[in-house]
Amino acid sequence: MAKTKFAYLRPLFQEQSSTKQTCNFIELGVDKKNIFSDEKYGEFSEYEKLKSIMSQGDTLYIKSLRVLGTDTIQMIDEWNKLRKNSKINVNVLETYMMDIGSDRDNIESEQLVKSILNFEAII
C-alpha cells in the first residue's frame, strides 16, 4: 500500500499568509486535498483531524517545529506522538529540509530535533 504525503500549516503570528507554504508543499508532491490548515493561532482542529487520518509510514510536512504546539512542552509531546506512537515520518522544511523518515540511519537527525526542542524548553 502506497504511503501518503500530508502537510500541516498554521500561522505562527497573526498576519502570516498560508499561500506560500501551500505552494511549497504542493511543489514537494503533497496533494492539495492532503494539506490541512488551521487559520487562527492556537487553533488545532484541522491538526486533530489530520492526526486521525494519518497512518504508520505516512509523511507529514511542516514548515517549523513550532506548528506542533503553542509551547515547547506541547511541541515535544506532539513530536513524540507522531514519531514514536504513530510512526509518522516528519519532514521539517525550516530545518534545512530535515527529513526524519523511517530509515534508521536518521537517528542522528532525530537526536538533533530532540536537542532543539529541549534547548527551547530551557530558554
Side-chain angles (χ1 to χ4, degrees):
M1 180 176 181
K3 295 303 175 183
T4 307
K5 292 181 181 182
F6 292 95
Y8 174 68
L9 56 111
R10 74 175 179 88
L12 299 175
F13 50 89
Q14 287 195 339
E15 303 296 317
Q16 189 174 18
S17 168
S18 62
T19 305
K20 184 172 176 23
Q21 287 182 63
T22 300
C23 290
N24 289 340
F25 293 136
I26 291 171
E27 287 174 8
L28 291 167
V30 179
D31 191 317
K32 191 170 182 172
K33 71 178 182 180
N34 292 332
I35 299 174
F36 292 74
S37 175
D38 283 310
E39 298 300 322
K40 294 182 181 175
Y41 179 79
E43 184 177 284
F44 292 95
S45 59
E46 288 296 305
Y47 179 63
E48 293 301 322
K49 183 169 38 170
L50 169 61
K51 288 192 307 183
S52 72
I53 295 170
M54 290 189 299
S55 61
Q56 182 175 340
D58 286 344
T59 299
L60 173 62
Y61 290 87
I62 56 176
K63 179 180 183 336
S64 166
L65 292 170
R66 293 177 291 161
V67 303
L68 297 179
T70 56
D71 60 48
T72 305
I73 304 294
Q74 188 178 16
M75 287 187 288
I76 292 170
D77 185 49
E78 287 302 315
W79 177 264
N80 287 331
K81 286 178 187 174
L82 290 169
R83 294 292 302 139
K84 289 183 181 176
N85 301 348
S86 301
K87 309 274 191 262
I88 302 296
N89 304 318
V90 182
N91 188 308
V92 185
L93 302 183
E94 193 174 78
T95 314
Y96 306 105
M97 294 297 290
M98 182 182 294
D99 183 1
I100 312 296
S102 60
D103 186 352
R104 286 295 127 210
D105 291 337
N106 285 328
I107 298 296
E108 290 176 7
S109 297
E110 180 89 21
Q111 290 300 97
L112 175 61
V113 169
K114 289 179 181 177
S115 296
I116 292 168
L117 289 171
N118 286 328
F119 178 76
E120 288 183 7
I122 294 169
I123 296 178

